[in-house]
Every structure is written in structure tokens, then in C-alpha cells.
Amino acid sequence: MRAVFLNAVNELVATQVSRPRPEAGESLIRVLACGICGTDRHIYKGEYPSAKPVILGHEFGGLIEEVGAGSKFSVGQLVSVDPNIVCGKCDDCIAGRTAFCPDLTALGVNINGGLAEFVLTPDSQIYPVRTDLNPLHLAFIEPLACSIRGMDLAELKGGEKVAVLGGGVIGLLVVQLAKLAGASEIVLITRQKFRRDVALQIGATKVVDPISEKLADVVKNMDVTFECAGAIETFKDAQVITRRGGSVIVLGLTPADVELEIKPFSIVVNELRIQGSYLNPLTQARAAELVGSGDLKLDILISKVVDLSGVQTILDAPPAEGDIKYIVCP
Ligand SMILES: [Zn+2]
Ligand SMILES: [Zn+2]
């Protein structure tokens, strides 16, 4: 089968390898769509730890091609995959904090993932989806599961004023989730005009260009702010635009060694809650259901669809202005 390996930092190799065979408890999945995201870029540049060599790609789904002995799945079934494999037995797993499992390994990070024709997948990670789902939408289920984790932590009850910093896939999924959760105002803040226009079409009530407008003047007193850009600047902005007693939910990932000065005083007197949101603990099934429901606008987020030969070009350059989601169809 064809596959794209990360052999070393900044070194991808597209090559032929033999097709794995599933044992009991595993299935072989024919990948129909695999998203490429910021985490893949961080891994490629050595800013996020991974195995090497490894086949990248953690946002994928496809058709069951072959099953292990005694499988509950059937050949030809359309499925999505939760890439994060946990032990299920440690204290964190038992308490539902699966993202902190010390044995966590991830398809496309530590073991071979979705930038290949086929992926050997533990059955525990497989979530069937409706048969008529657009296969390209499979690439959104994992990032949606991470966004749903952020929504869970935000505890929206309806009627809140919500700000979203960053207009990438996560930011634009959070806009839609906030709308479904009944937010009264949804402000999307991003420098890119195309992304602001998209946000207005999928549920944002207002968009702001932080370059041409002074953010603190035009966005204030937000109940909940989602930081989805993974930048120091937006992390600071989030604290400025959130009301006293409000919450900042941080989904964006900066490089691991980035530091920032903060004022503990202002966190205390403003009772500001700064809450990280990591991975997709126990949210993959809900994400698969929600993508299947058709209630999300996903086609508008797809910028480019390529085959495996297009991966190198995508990872070598930052996303082009206005581009949102790249999807690989191996
Ligand atoms: Zn991702
Ligand atoms: Zn565990």
C-alpha cells in the first residue's frame, strides 16, 4: 500500500509498504479521507513529540476492509476513528480523564495513522457512521470531538455572549457549536477576511478584524471566550475581552516551549477562569453523531482535497490566506 512516513523532523517520504493484516480486536480500514491540521504541522517541524518513522494522519475515517477474528464490525462498514488509544484501566481513565492516561498513544502520532491507503486500527477506536455520510466529512469528526470537549468545559446553558479567537477549523466548528448551544452573541475574531465571511455564513453574529479595529474597544464583557488560534497574542486578547467571572477556554496549541507573563492579580480580582481543553476524552461518539446529523456546515470549510502525493506541498508551506481545511483522500 502507499503511505506517507515522517522519517525525521522536516522529512516526509511517500513509499510503498506491505499492507498490515488485522488480528483479533483489530480492523483494517481503507482510508477515504484524512484531514491535515496544525498538530501535523507542529509534528512535522519537531514542535510536538511523535514517533519516527511514523505514518502521520490522526483525523480520518473510511471503510472497513478486513476484520480480525470475532469482530463486531463488518466489511464495507463506513466508520470514523478516535486516534487516541488509552489503557482504560488507570485512575485517570476510570475517572473519565482519558486524555491524561499515561499510556496514551495516538494513531498518526506514535503509531501509524491515516495518511496511507489502509490503517490497522484497534476496534476500541472505531465509531460507525451513517452509510450516506459524505466521506470527506469523516475528516471533521476528530477535530469536532476536540471542539465538543471545549464546549463541555465552557458549560454553556444558552443566552451567553461568546467570543472565538481564531478562524481555523476549530474556531469555525466552535462557532457552530455555540450557535447550537443557544449563545445569544457569537463574535469571531480573525485577521483573515475570507474566514470572517465564512463565520458570518455559519452562525457568527459579528466578526472583527483585530488589525483594523482595536479589539478591546469593540469586544467586551464576553461570558465565554474560546482561544482557538494558539498564539500568545490571542491568549492575551482572551483575558481582555472576557467579563469578570467569565471563562477562557484554551483549545489552541502553541509550540511546547512558548512562555508568557501573566498578572496573577488580575486573575484573582476578576475571578477569571482559564481552562485548557485537551484532546477528545469520550467525545468521539457524539462528534460522529453530530456530523451524521447534517446540522453542521462542513463543505464550506473544505479548501483543498489532494491525494497522498499532495501532502508534502501542504506541510511545507503555511496554510494559504483564506484556506481552512485540507483533506487527503489516499
Ligand atoms: Zn488534528
Ligand atoms: Zn489509562
Side-chain angles (χ1 to χ4, degrees):
M1 65 171 190
R2 277 173 294 126
V4 176
F5 280 87
L6 179 73
N7 271 358
V9 169
N10 288 317
E11 190 190 321
L12 287 179
V13 179
T15 184
Q16 289 276 349
V17 289
S18 58
R19 187 173 129 173
R21 297 293 308 269
E23 309 217 332
E26 298 174 327
S27 300
L28 188 71
I29 294 176
R30 175 188 289 273
V31 180
L32 294 184
C34 180
I36 290 187
C37 78
T39 305
D40 296 304
R41 292 175 188 282
H42 285 308
I43 293 172
Y44 180 56
K45 289 193 263 175
E47 296 166 348
Y48 189 93
S50 81
K52 294 173 203 73
V54 71
I55 300 174
L56 292 180
H58 58 274
E59 304 178 348
F60 66 95
L63 294 167
I64 304 251
E65 177 82 9
E66 207 181 326
V67 294
S71 175
K72 61 180 174 176
F73 300 112
S74 42
V75 171
Q77 223 175 340
L78 190 64
V79 297
S80 82
V81 174
D82 175 358
N84 298 307
I85 304 166
V86 297
C87 79
K89 299 181 193 119
C90 70
D91 289 348
D92 280 318
C93 280
I94 288 167
R97 300 184 297 258
T98 54
F100 307 144
C101 177
D103 293 332
L104 190 146
T105 51
L107 296 159
V109 182
N110 316 104
I111 50 180
N112 288 339
L115 290 178
E117 283 177 271
F118 300 97
V119 185
L120 194 60
T121 307
D123 287 343
S124 60
Q125 307 309 114
I126 296 176
Y127 293 82
V129 296
R130 49 192 292 171
T131 51
D132 60 347
L133 188 79
N134 177 347
L136 292 179
H137 293 181
L138 292 166
F140 289 97
I141 294 177
E142 193 272 347
L144 180 66
C146 296
S147 308
I148 288 176
R149 170 63 176 168
M151 294 302 291
D152 284 352
L153 293 166
E155 296 178 338
L156 294 182
K157 307 270 194 291
E160 289 90 349
K161 296 188 342 183
V162 170
V164 180
L165 288 150
V169 174
I170 297 290
L172 294 171
L173 290 174
V174 167
V175 164
Q176 299 187 61
L177 289 172
K179 185 177 182 211
L180 290 172
S184 58
E185 269 183 49
I186 305 170
V187 185
L188 189 280
I189 301 138
T190 177
R191 299 173 184 197
Q192 297 193 26
K193 180 174 188 313
F194 179 80
R195 292 175 167 189
R196 293 196 299 274
D197 292 343
V198 169
L200 288 171
Q201 292 174 57
I202 61 175
T205 55
K206 171 176 167 172
V207 290
V208 175
D209 174 6
I211 302 297
S212 67
E213 294 187 271
K214 187 156 186 297
L215 192 57
D217 292 342
V218 291
V219 185
K220 354 179 137 159
N221 290 323
M222 306 311 289
D223 295 301
V224 179
T225 301
F226 292 90
E227 197 291 308
C228 305
I232 288 291
E233 209 44 55
T234 45
F235 192 93
K236 286 185 192 160
D237 288 343
Q239 295 168 59
V240 173
I241 64 177
T242 305
R243 71 161 163 81
R244 301 184 77 177
S247 298
V248 175
I249 309 293
V250 185
L251 284 141
L253 207 56
T254 62
D257 57 352
V258 165
E259 290 183 15
L260 162 75
E261 280 182 19
I262 57 168
K263 288 190 187 132
F265 178 86
S266 87
I267 292 177
V268 173
V269 300
N270 293 316
E271 290 197 342
L272 193 63
R273 176 177 167 233
I274 298 178
Q275 168 75 58
S277 174
Y278 186 49
L279 303 180
N280 56 346
L282 310 179
T283 53
Q284 188 83 8
R286 288 157 64 199
E289 289 292 329
L290 186 51
V291 166
S293 75
D295 284 342
L296 297 176
K297 296 192 170 101
L298 300 175
D299 291 332
I300 195 171
L301 307 183
I302 300 172
S303 309
K304 200 181 279 178
V305 178
V306 300
D307 62 19
L308 287 174
S309 65
V311 173
Q312 176 94 50
T313 314
I314 289 176
L315 286 180
D316 271 337
E321 169 88 21
D323 280 1
I324 299 168
K325 192 68 182 166
Y326 297 129
I327 297 177
V328 181
C329 295

